[in-house]
RNA sequence: GCCCGGGUGGCGAAAUUGGUAGACGCAAGAGACUUAAAAUCUCUCGACCUUUGGGUCGUGCCGGUUCGAUUCCGGCCCCGGGCACCA
């Protein structure tokens, strides 16, 4: 089976044979895959399918290291599955809508579309240069009308099913630029361009009812066995189903105005209003000493009428960002409204406060506060001198100082009127029933997850296919009129905020129902809408429907790879969307992704100098030299150009803002794609963060050169390569047997690690093999082991460093195309050992290593261990109490 | 603030998941080859002690369970990710 090998004249192209020249090998291999259409796939009912997907990139300009890592992991899995014989689909496309295109357009005065398409073109050449095995026939970009048309269609379908609605929601408002800001554009509470203090403002927005699917999305997390526990836990917490009690507090008009100022408060009268709150701790109800409402709450708004101080406070509450992190970390402030809530059980009046940490859009915009048993309420009560009551006591009867700190554990109720001496658990039900009987409240299931707000007040996105007609109200755009095209040939300059807002050419339209004048919705979709179903569209990218029958062959995705930062939002929206597709009859299963690998971030050192204005100027690691002591600890870092020190800013995710990115392209140009792929796979396991290190890349390159040299070391004797000495099978000597055992043990390890996707140790196993092969010489037996071993190494490395593996495999005559070769399995006879090493411990400490025959039983192993001189020395005068023998591993002698 | 991870030599890591801590690689040191350098090859490489046989300590910190703990349990410290309009 070695015709090609025999025909090679090793001296004919000496340079190429002697030196590893990745550029040429890689372009040859890529040309081979291209002309053979190696990665083009179609549905084939006779073969097991495998759909391997990596999260598609945002076309930001060029690939970054995170992309390289993500796509290498995906490609390794895809190629491995292919070599196992499956019909593998691995597509690629572009998450093309988004804010950066608008920013770039503003800066470069070019249309976002042109910028995006240019980036796609360049990044595609980079992906090809890395040798990823994609079926490019299925490429898609989410900004293409034939893609977003179907998303618009689905939205109108959801509207007709009542799964879509419009309501007011809070946004970040820049009062100077008169525009909505993304959270990213709010820096320290100010607009990024104007520097103005950001305000919270409510505007009408479209929502999709993900809460209708909350139970299903939560319950089926249990079935996602191929997902990391970390992600499953995060999603469970995100959905955050809780069981609690919703109850009403009657509102009593003004009584005491303590601290509420004086002016104008007299206008408020007794009312029969009430406010509704939700709590997961009804057992603490008797400890309520105040109630807090959002600044926008009708009660607060009403109380503020004519009250300048309260009006000013409510105004202050509107300032700052809308993100949860902002709201939770701001200084908690409040102001009494001068009205009281009536405790539903005790009838006691407790003050109602407006508070800056209560948001109108979350829950009911009002919370009951129990300072004794909630940390935040406790801090607030201390600040405003509100009483702190203890109503829950530890079960063990111990006492706690409730004035010093909140007691948040469950326990036994005291000072709770009719509920005294009940446990928290019993009180939950008792209080709920008490309220229910009196029509004041009921047990409720609540979710932390909120409906998905999909409106964005931006240009570069999918137009929301809705029309506002004065006669007919809101009317969805009918399928025949889809897609609602986003105009791409628009003018963009520094002052452009949004070319489709206040643009009659876009917004003026005719009502599909009455034919009268109407206005288009000018908001666009959240880009998560596009990324929530792209995996399905890849199966039938040219379908004249959202999806066709092909989706049923390929879905679900068997393996999905992407960043851990998508653990909740993207992955939850995609799970939700898949169910929407299912309930529209487009897919047949419940979950989109069977197995998930969340890859860690690529991180690197950061360096900066403080500027005069207090800001930081970040220097790229390539511009900095680090001085180290003899142990390699960094002493200081200096800028190469001026030799002056820079501050070492610690290790952070590679990013533009910290300027600590390493451009993959320069590494590919210098070392080739295989080295970059190998390095990223070897340095860290896929799910951990990867710390960048230039010398490590050099090491990966060195390893590939060693393999290249090994190929050169292999002779051409056809008998040796066939495992024969003349016509007789080779009898291996001890040294050769040892080499074979090392190789097959490493193979066993590599296969185990391929299966659990720990690719760094797959590479380690390959290195171990190569080290063993380097010890072999020219003897016939050595050559046979070398030939066998290198064949194994090439196939193990095939998915990781595909170009060199492809080249050597065919060049050395192992076969035609390595992708079509059989995956290697360990040879049992090579693994067999006559004697086994046991570690002998005395009282848990290693004291000796002994050899025992492989067939020795426990008693025999024990005897051999006890016979050891060092073991006897440590037993000394003590009595042997117990001997533990772990087969094939260890003996522990317990002596006292 | 809340939720989720992580912490092992000078560095990245490994330990088939309760059984030899540090595989594999980087950096460093020594040697071989070379006129020389680079490249390549070989060896050493956790800390401390040592009579050179070996011994003691060591996986962020404190405690516990166990014949035996990087691994399990309780408490703490530090670092990172996500927090709904970055993608």
């Amino acid at each position: 089976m070695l015709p090609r090998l025999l025909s090679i004249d090793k001296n004919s192209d000496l340079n190429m044979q002697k030196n590893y020249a990745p550029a040429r090998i890689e372009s040859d291999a890529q040309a081979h895959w291209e002309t053979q259409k190696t990665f083009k796939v179609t549905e084939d009912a006779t073969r097991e399918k495998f759909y391997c997907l990596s999260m598609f990139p945002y076309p930001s300009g060029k690939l970054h290291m995170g992309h390289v890592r993500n796509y290498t992991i995906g490609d390794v899995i895809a190629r491995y599955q292919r070599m196992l014989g499956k019909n593998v689909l691995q597509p690629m496309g572009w998450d093309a809508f988004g804010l950066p295109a608008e920013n770039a357009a503003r800066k470069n005065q070019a249309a976002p579309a042109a910028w995006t398409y240019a980036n796609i073109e360049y990044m595609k050449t980079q992906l090809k240069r890395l040798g990823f095995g994609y079926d490019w026939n299925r490429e898609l970009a989410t900004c293409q009308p034939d893609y977003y048309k179907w998303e618009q269609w689905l939205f109108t379908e959801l509207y007709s099913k009542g799964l879509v609605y419009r309501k007011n929601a809070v946004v970040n408002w820049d009062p100077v630029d008169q525009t909505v800001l993304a959270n990213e554009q709010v820096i320290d509470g100010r607009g990024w361009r104007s520097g103005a203090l950001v305000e919270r403002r409510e505007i009408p927005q479209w929502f999709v009812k993900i809460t209708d699917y909350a139970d299903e999305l939560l319950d089926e997390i249990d079935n996602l066995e191929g997902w990391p526990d970390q992600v499953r836990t995060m999603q469970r917490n995100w959905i955050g189903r809780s069981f609690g009690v919703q109850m009403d507090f009657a509102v009593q008009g003004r009584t005491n105005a303590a601290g509420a100022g004086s002016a104008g408060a007299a206008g408020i009268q007794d009312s029969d209003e009430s406010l509704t709150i939700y709590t997961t701790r009804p057992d603490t109800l008797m400890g309520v000493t105040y109630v807090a409402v959002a600044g926008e709450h009708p009660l607060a708004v009403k109380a503020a009428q004519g009250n300048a101080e309260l009006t000013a406070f409510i105004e202050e509450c509107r300032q700052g960002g809308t993100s949860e992190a902002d709201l939770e970390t701001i200084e908690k402030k409040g102001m009494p409204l001068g009205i009281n809530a009536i405790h539903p059980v005790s009838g006691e009046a407790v003050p109602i406060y407006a508070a800056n940490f209560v948001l109108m859009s979350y829950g009911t915009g009002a919370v009951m506060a129990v300072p004794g048993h909630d940390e935040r309420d406790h801090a607030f009560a201390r600040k405003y001198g509100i009483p702190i009551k203890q109503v829950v006591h530890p079960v063990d009867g111990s006492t706690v100082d409730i004035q010093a700190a909140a007691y948040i554990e469950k326990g036994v109720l005291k000072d709770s009127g009719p509920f005294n001496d009940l446990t928290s658990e019993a009180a939950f039900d008792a209080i709920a029933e008490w309220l229910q009987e009196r029509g004041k409240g009921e047990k409720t299931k609540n979710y932390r997850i909120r409906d998905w707000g999909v409106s964005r007040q931006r240009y570069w996105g999918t137009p929301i296919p809705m029309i506002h007609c004065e006669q007919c109200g809101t009317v969805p755009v009918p399928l025949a009129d889809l897609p609602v095209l986003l105009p791409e040939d628009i003018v963009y300059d520094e002052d452009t905020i949004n070319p489709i807002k206040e643009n009659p050419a876009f917004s003026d339209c005719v009502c599909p129902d009455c034919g009268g004048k109407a206005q288009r919705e000018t908001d666009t979709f959240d880009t998560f809408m596009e990324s929530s179903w792209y995996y399905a569209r890849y199966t039938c990218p040219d379908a004249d429907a959202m999806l066709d029958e092909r989706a049923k062959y390929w879905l679900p995705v068997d393996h999905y790879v992407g960043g851990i930062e998508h653990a909740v939002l993207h992955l939850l929206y995609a799970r939700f969307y898949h169910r929407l597709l299912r309930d529209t009859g487009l897919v047949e299963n419940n979950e989109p992704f069977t197995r998930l690998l969340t890859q860690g971030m690529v991180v690197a050192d950061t360096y900066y100098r403080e500027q005069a204005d207090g800001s930081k100027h970040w220097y790229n690691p390539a511009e900095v030299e680090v001085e180290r002591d003899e142990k390699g600890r960094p002493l200081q870092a200096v800028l190469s150009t001026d030799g002056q020190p820079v501050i070492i800013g610690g290790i952070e995710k590679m990013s533009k803002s910290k300027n600590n990115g390493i451009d993959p392209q320069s590494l590919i140009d210098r070392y080739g794609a295989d080295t970059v792929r190998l390095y990223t796979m070897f340095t860290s396991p896929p799910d951990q963060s990867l710390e960048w290190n230039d010398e490590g890349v050099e090491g990966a390159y060195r390893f590939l050169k060693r393999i290249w040299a090994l190929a050169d070391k292999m002779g051409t004797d056809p008998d040796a390569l066939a495992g024969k000495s003349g016509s007789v099978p080779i009898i291996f000597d001890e040294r050769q047997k040892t080499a074979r055992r090392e190789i097959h043990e490493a193979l066993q390890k590599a296969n185990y690690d391929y299966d659990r996707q720990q690719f760094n140790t797959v590479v380690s196993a390959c290195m171990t093999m190569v080290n063993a092969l380097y010890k072999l010489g020219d003897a016939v037996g050595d050559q046979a082991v070398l030939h066998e071993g290198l064949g194994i190494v090439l196939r193990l490395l095939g998915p990781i460093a595909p170009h060199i593996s492809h080249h050597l495999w065919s060049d050395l005559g192992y076969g035609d195309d390595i992708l079509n070769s059989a995956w290697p399995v360990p040879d049992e006879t090579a693994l067999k050992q006559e004697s086994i090493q046991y570690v002998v411990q005395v009282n848990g400490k290693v004291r000796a290593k002994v050899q025992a025959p492989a067939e020795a039983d426990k008693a025999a192993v024990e005897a051999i261990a006890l016979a050891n001189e060092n073991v006897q020395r440590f037993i000394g005068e003590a009595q042997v109490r117990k001997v533990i023998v772990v087969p094939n591993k260890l003996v522990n002698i317990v002596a006292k």
Side-chain angles (χ1 to χ4, degrees):
Chain A
M1 285 284 286
L2 303 161
R4 295 188 55 171
L5 178 87
L6 297 175
S7 67
I8 290 171
D9 177 352
K10 285 208 151 195
N11 295 317
S12 67
D13 189 352
L14 200 62
N15 267 346
M16 201 202 137
Q17 286 291 324
K18 287 281 176 211
N19 299 318
Y20 171 47
R24 183 169 160 190
I25 293 162
E26 293 179 358
S27 61
D28 286 354
Q30 286 158 17
H32 171 87
W33 298 326
E34 186 105 33
T35 56
Q36 298 294 310
K37 299 186 165 58
T38 305
F39 301 108
K40 187 176 179 202
V41 282
T42 50
E43 301 71 44
D44 178 352
T46 64
R47 291 166 69 202
E48 188 181 349
K49 67 95 184 175
F50 191 91
Y51 182 0
C52 182
L53 180 67
S54 291
M55 289 180 187
F56 62 170
Y58 177 79
S60 56
K62 55 188 181 182
L63 292 185
H64 57 63
M65 233 12 119
H67 292 132
V68 174
R69 189 182 191 200
N70 193 157
Y71 303 144
T72 302
I73 293 167
D75 199 42
V76 168
I77 294 167
R79 285 173 181 266
Y80 171 64
Q81 292 294 334
R82 187 199 168 103
M83 287 178 77
L84 293 180
K86 295 180 188 163
N87 188 29
V88 175
L89 165 61
Q90 192 184 205
M92 184 44 72
W94 310 96
D95 188 16
F97 277 136
L99 201 50
E102 295 190 47
N103 298 335
R106 213 169 277 130
K107 196 170 152 194
N108 308 325
Q109 315 199 345
W115 181 84
T116 301
Y117 287 122
N119 290 345
I120 287 173
E121 197 179 342
Y122 179 69
M123 289 169 78
K124 189 172 171 179
T125 65
Q126 290 191 298
L127 292 173
K128 289 192 166 181
R129 179 64 189 85
L130 281 157
F132 298 131
Y134 299 132
D135 182 354
W136 285 106
N137 295 293
R138 296 166 182 271
E139 179 183 7
L140 59 81
T142 57
C143 61
Q144 291 161 340
D146 63 353
Y147 181 82
Y148 65 69
K149 169 182 178 177
W150 298 108
E151 187 176 309
Q152 292 174 331
W153 170 76
L154 185 73
F155 188 79
T156 61
E157 289 287 299
L158 297 176
Y159 180 78
S160 65
K161 287 182 180 177
L163 282 166
V164 155
Y165 64 97
R166 201 163 181 243
K167 71 162 187 189
N168 278 349
V170 186
V171 292
N172 298 304
W173 180 256
D174 186 320
V176 172
D177 278 354
Q178 293 282 301
T179 184
V180 174
L181 299 176
N183 283 338
E184 187 190 51
Q185 299 171 317
V186 179
I187 295 154
D188 296 330
R190 290 171 184 275
W192 67 329
R193 278 154 58 85
S194 69
L197 277 175
V198 168
E199 292 171 8
R200 293 200 280 266
R201 177 178 279 209
E202 290 207 337
I203 59 168
Q205 306 197 58
W206 288 102
F207 286 81
V208 183
K209 282 190 184 169
I210 191 170
T211 52
D212 273 16
Y213 286 75
D215 280 323
E216 189 189 340
L217 287 167
L218 178 66
D219 294 339
E220 289 182 14
I221 292 172
D222 294 345
N223 305 331
L224 294 173
E225 282 160 14
W227 284 40
D229 287 339
Q230 176 189 5
V231 175
R232 297 208 278 171
T233 307
M234 286 167 87
Q235 294 213 349
R236 281 193 191 99
N237 290 336
W238 187 263
I239 296 168
R241 182 165 61 198
S242 65
F243 296 92
V245 170
Q246 187 167 303
M247 65 182 93
D248 298 329
F249 280 63
V251 175
Q252 188 185 55
R254 136 173 201 78
T255 50
N256 60 342
S262 47
I268 299 169
Q269 295 167 2
D270 280 21
S271 76
D272 53 2
E273 284 170 302
S274 69
L275 58 83
T276 305
I277 64 96
Y278 170 81
T279 178
T280 56
R281 290 292 304 272
D283 56 310
T284 65
L285 178 60
M286 303 309 289
V288 169
T289 54
Y290 68 97
V291 168
V293 300
E296 296 94 331
H297 195 282
L299 285 172
V301 173
K302 195 171 161 191
Q305 285 168 10
N307 181 336
E309 205 179 343
L310 195 52
T311 303
F313 177 74
I314 289 169
E315 197 51 41
E316 194 189 325
C317 285
R318 299 174 75 93
Q319 287 191 352
T322 58
S323 78
E324 189 179 344
D326 286 342
L327 295 170
E328 291 289 332
T329 51
I330 48 168
E331 191 193 347
K332 308 293 184 291
K333 285 185 187 172
M335 188 171 278
L337 297 185
I339 54 175
N340 291 328
I342 303 304
H343 193 288
V345 179
S346 68
E348 195 184 337
V350 295
I352 302 177
Y353 276 73
N356 64 350
F357 57 88
V358 182
L359 259 200
M360 195 58 218
S361 50
Y362 295 179
T364 57
V367 296
M368 74 176 207
V370 187
H373 304 288
D374 180 275
E375 281 171 11
R376 189 175 63 183
D377 296 346
H378 192 272
F380 192 89
R382 293 275 300 245
K383 184 168 178 175
Y384 293 103
I386 301 167
I388 299 168
K389 273 194 205 169
Q390 184 176 10
V391 292
V392 179
H393 291 249
V395 182
D396 63 11
S398 59
T399 56
V400 293
D401 180 0
I402 207 72
Q403 301 303 322
Y407 178 71
I408 58 172
E409 309 299 321
K410 293 189 173 166
V412 180
L413 272 66
K414 306 273 182 212
D415 301 313
S416 293
F419 312 110
N420 273 339
D421 302 321
L422 292 175
T423 61
S424 288
E425 290 76 13
F428 187 111
D429 293 328
I431 291 175
E433 276 162 33
W434 193 98
L435 291 167
Q436 200 150 353
E437 280 165 14
R438 288 155 183 82
K440 291 182 172 181
E442 59 185 348
K443 271 193 195 174
T444 326
K445 188 163 63 170
N446 209 33
Y447 302 90
R448 206 184 80 91
I449 194 172
R450 309 191 299 269
D451 277 335
W452 180 10
V454 295
S455 296
R456 296 293 180 270
Q457 299 69 40
R458 286 179 233 301
Y459 157 71
W460 188 234
T462 299
I464 297 180
M466 294 304 230
I467 288 168
H468 305 289
C469 171
E470 273 181 35
Q471 301 301 317
C472 314
T474 303
V475 181
V477 178
L479 178 59
D481 294 345
L482 292 176
V484 177
L485 279 174
L486 181 74
E488 293 191 355
D489 56 338
I490 43 90
V491 180
Y492 232 96
D493 63 31
E494 278 177 44
D495 302 320
T496 306
I497 292 196
N498 186 334
I500 55 170
K501 291 269 176 212
E502 285 153 44
N503 175 357
F506 178 78
S507 57
D508 285 0
C509 65
V510 171
C511 173
D513 279 3
C514 69
K517 272 191 175 179
Q519 292 289 303
R520 251 182 227 303
E521 172 67 64
T522 57
D523 281 0
T524 52
F525 280 138
D526 175 6
T527 58
F528 278 126
M529 285 283 274
E530 287 87 63
S531 58
S532 292
W533 70 286
Y534 76 108
Y535 62 88
R537 183 70 182 179
Y538 279 137
T539 65
C540 48
D542 52 0
D544 188 28
M546 192 162 191
L547 299 174
D548 66 20
E549 286 301 305
R550 290 171 286 179
K552 289 172 185 167
Y553 173 82
W554 289 111
L555 291 174
V557 172
D558 294 279
H559 205 296
Y560 196 30
V561 183
I564 183 67
E565 65 273 21
H566 295 291
V568 178
L569 292 179
H570 162 62
L571 288 167
L572 189 60
Y573 289 141
R575 291 183 61 223
F576 169 50
Y577 222 97
H578 197 77
R579 288 168 170 78
L580 297 176
L581 296 172
R582 177 198 64 192
D583 295 345
T584 312
L586 293 166
V587 300
E588 290 174 323
N589 28 53
N590 293 341
E591 291 288 343
F593 314 120
T594 305
R595 195 168 174 184
L596 172 72
L597 192 157
T598 48
Q599 132 231 3
M601 293 167 307
V602 182
V603 299
D605 284 309
T606 58
Y607 305 96
Y608 68 92
R609 280 182 187 158
E610 297 254 9
Q611 303 297 102
D613 63 358
S615 67
K616 289 170 179 171
H617 184 273
W618 300 89
Y619 296 94
N620 192 272
E623 306 170 87
V624 173
E625 282 167 37
V626 179
E627 295 168 11
R628 294 172 187 278
D629 65 14
E630 319 90 63
K631 292 237 168 179
R633 286 174 203 270
L635 290 171
Q636 71 159 359
V638 297
L639 198 64
S640 309
T641 48
D642 63 13
Q644 294 303 304
V646 291
I647 299 165
I648 301 174
I651 293 169
E652 301 214 40
K653 181 178 178 174
M654 281 188 183
S655 70
K656 223 174 236 177
S657 62
K658 297 282 162 67
N659 191 18
N660 63 338
I662 307 289
D663 182 14
Q665 194 57 48
S666 63
L667 294 168
I668 297 165
D669 292 345
R670 189 161 167 195
Y671 299 103
D674 280 342
T675 294
V676 176
R677 295 172 59 126
L678 181 72
Y679 171 75
T680 54
M681 290 304 97
F682 176 59
T683 304
S684 296
D687 55 357
Q688 279 183 33
S689 61
L690 185 156
E691 272 181 48
W692 194 260
N693 173 270
D694 288 333
E695 279 97 10
V697 182
E698 199 71 51
Y701 185 58
R702 200 173 298 149
F703 174 62
L704 293 180
K705 283 195 287 188
R706 270 167 76 79
I707 291 178
W708 191 262
L710 205 55
D712 203 49
K713 203 177 139 167
M714 198 162 80
T716 54
D717 175 5
D719 277 348
L721 305 189
K724 291 188 295 183
S725 177
S727 57
V728 186
I730 291 169
I731 311 275
F732 294 112
D733 63 24
E734 280 309 310
R735 198 177 43 85
Q736 292 156 354
K737 275 189 188 166
T738 304
R740 284 198 82 220
R741 203 184 66 239
E742 283 172 3
I743 288 157
H744 285 269
E745 278 176 352
L747 170 59
Q748 201 167 35
K749 165 89 179 137
N751 281 345
Y752 175 78
D753 288 339
Y754 253 115
D755 202 49
R756 62 171 177 157
Q757 301 177 338
Q758 186 170 286
F759 305 120
N760 56 327
T761 46
V762 167
V763 178
S764 294
C766 290
M767 288 171 167
T768 304
M769 287 184 205
V770 169
N771 289 344
L773 296 177
Y774 256 77
K775 295 187 182 120
L776 296 165
D778 296 331
V780 172
D782 284 30
Q783 285 288 306
V785 176
L786 181 56
H787 182 260
E788 181 193 15
L790 185 56
I792 292 170
V793 169
L794 290 177
R795 279 172 290 170
L796 288 179
L797 230 38
I800 297 167
H803 308 88
I804 189 173
S805 309
H806 169 89
H807 178 91
L808 290 178
W809 184 262
S810 58
D811 210 43
L812 295 173
Y814 281 104
D816 179 23
D817 187 332
I818 193 168
L819 281 164
N820 300 327
S821 67
W823 194 259
V825 287
D827 177 354
E828 289 302 325
T829 60
L831 292 172
K832 220 173 208 163
Q833 283 192 83
E834 274 135 36
S835 92
I836 286 168
Q837 182 188 268
Y838 277 83
V839 168
V840 186
Q841 299 180 329
V842 178
N843 291 327
K845 295 199 178 196
V846 179
R847 296 305 179 190
K849 285 164 191 177
V850 297
Q851 293 290 326
E855 67 279 4
D857 62 10
K858 280 194 174 187
V861 172
E862 188 179 325
I864 292 166
L866 283 166
N868 183 277
E869 200 184 317
N870 208 40
V871 169
Q872 279 303 323
R873 187 155 72 83
F874 276 91
I875 295 173
E877 299 299 303
Q879 278 281 310
V880 174
R881 306 273 173 189
K882 199 172 169 187
V883 179
I884 292 135
V885 179
V886 182
N888 299 323
K889 271 200 175 133
L890 168 141
V891 180
N892 189 14
I893 297 158
V894 186
K896 268 179 190 156

